[in-house]
Amino acid sequence: CERCQCHSEDKRTAILYTLLSQNVNHSRGGRSPAHQRCLCHQRRTVCLRTPNVTCQAACNVLVKTISFMKNLPSFYLLPQEDQLLLLDSCWVPLFLLGLVQEMVTFEVMETPAPSMLKKILLDGQSKRQEPERTQPTLAAVQRLQCCLNTFWKLDLSPKEYAYLKGAILFNPDVPGLRAPVHIKSLQQEAQRALHEVLQPLHPEDQGRFARILLISSTLKSIPPALITDLFFRPVIGNADIVEFIVETLYE
């Protein structure tokens, strides 16, 4: 790896380099401050430490997630266009809830860099082949693990998981829905059931319902590309994961 200017032994040289770089960038059209800061940590790419074990566990969770949707009559009564829109928008948070429920843990390691000889030998071929797969960054994986750890601390019961999944699945705010009013009523029904089950389980914790909904909203911030590249790309290659989910759902 090229040595980062932030770790230069001569800080004055690093400062001068930064100033000169800013001037050069400005003369070339300029860059935003975000591009001028060192992003070494964020750019460090990682992969699963035990891909065989973790990918198998992730696939099992995905199958259970699809099975959850299959067993919901209220989902199948929706127009198929709405089913596909809901599936595309919510499969990631539902899958992540499955990871939490199944207690799937994983570790990552820095992506091994290809050898110089391999780069030379494959340089001509790579230009004619498919583009190289993207790799998750360490910062993105750490955000994901932070979300999962927060959910583990909630220690949800099976009923809480079930009703929360329903509240996430029936999202009336997805653009393009044909029956948003009906979907909103289904979401409210799931939220009401979640609230009712909390009272006997946690009578002393009055803020648990709001806390669960708030924390569940963080799952929507996890990009599908990160989940696909981290857990499923080693298995499905360049195939579309959403197409795979749809085929499995309607088979």
Side-chain angles (χ1 to χ4, degrees):
C1 297
E2 295 180 359
R3 183 163 184 168
C4 171
Q5 291 295 329
C6 296
H7 298 136
S8 174
E9 294 179 359
D10 188 349
K11 294 184 179 180
R12 292 173 298 177
T13 304
I15 294 174
L16 178 60
Y17 176 88
T18 302
L19 293 174
L20 292 175
S21 298
Q22 290 176 354
N23 291 334
V24 172
N25 292 334
H26 181 71
S27 64
R28 294 178 179 176
R31 289 186 181 183
S32 64
H35 286 86
Q36 296 171 1
R37 294 193 300 268
C38 174
L39 299 177
C40 303
H41 184 72
Q42 286 80 358
R43 289 174 177 172
R44 187 181 306 166
T45 59
V46 295
C47 59
L48 294 172
R49 187 174 295 276
T50 56
N52 293 338
V53 176
T54 306
C55 289
Q56 181 62 52
C59 289
N60 292 339
V61 169
L62 185 62
V63 169
K64 291 183 179 180
T65 302
I66 298 173
S67 178
F68 167 77
M69 290 184 279
K70 275 187 174 183
N71 295 327
L72 281 179
S74 53
F75 178 75
Y76 272 101
L77 290 176
L78 295 173
Q80 189 173 32
E81 296 89 339
D82 287 3
Q83 295 178 29
L84 296 176
L85 288 173
L86 292 177
L87 183 150
D88 185 60
S89 68
C90 76
W91 77 268
V92 169
L94 289 180
F95 168 76
L96 294 178
L97 272 183
L99 287 184
V100 177
Q101 188 173 12
E102 299 296 325
M103 300 294 292
V104 176
T105 60
F106 61 93
E107 295 182 357
V108 295
M109 63 181 184
E110 193 166 351
T111 306
S115 65
M116 184 60 66
L117 177 60
K118 184 177 180 180
K119 286 183 178 181
I120 295 173
L121 293 176
L122 298 181
D123 180 59
Q125 300 179 13
S126 60
K127 297 178 181 179
R128 298 187 297 269
Q129 293 176 349
E130 297 179 350
E132 186 178 355
R133 299 175 187 171
T134 57
Q135 292 286 344
T137 63
L138 178 60
V141 172
Q142 288 177 337
R143 287 195 297 270
L144 168 60
Q145 291 178 325
C146 181
C147 289
L148 299 180
N149 289 333
T150 304
F151 254 104
W152 273 316
K153 293 177 182 178
L154 288 174
D155 192 21
L156 300 180
S157 67
K159 286 186 177 181
E160 288 175 294
Y161 277 115
Y163 295 135
L164 180 57
K165 289 177 183 178
I168 291 176
L169 173 61
F170 298 115
N171 180 9
D173 298 325
V174 174
L177 292 174
R178 295 178 56 187
V181 176
H182 178 56
I183 292 173
K184 183 176 182 179
S185 67
L186 293 174
Q187 184 185 62
Q188 291 174 340
E189 181 181 344
Q191 291 177 345
R192 185 165 52 252
L194 174 61
H195 188 271
E196 291 175 355
V197 79
L198 288 177
Q199 293 179 350
L201 292 176
H202 306 276
E204 75 290 346
D205 192 351
Q206 299 298 321
R208 185 175 176 85
F209 176 72
R211 192 162 62 254
I212 289 175
L213 294 183
L214 178 62
I215 295 176
S216 66
S217 65
T218 64
L219 299 179
K220 300 178 183 179
S221 66
I222 304 299
L226 171 63
I227 302 303
T228 303
D229 292 337
L230 185 62
F231 296 110
F232 300 111
R233 196 62 69 199
V235 178
I236 66 173
N238 292 323
D240 190 326
I241 185 65
V242 176
E243 290 182 2
F244 169 78
I245 295 174
V246 172
E247 291 176 2
T248 307
L249 183 64
Y250 295 110
E251 66 181 359

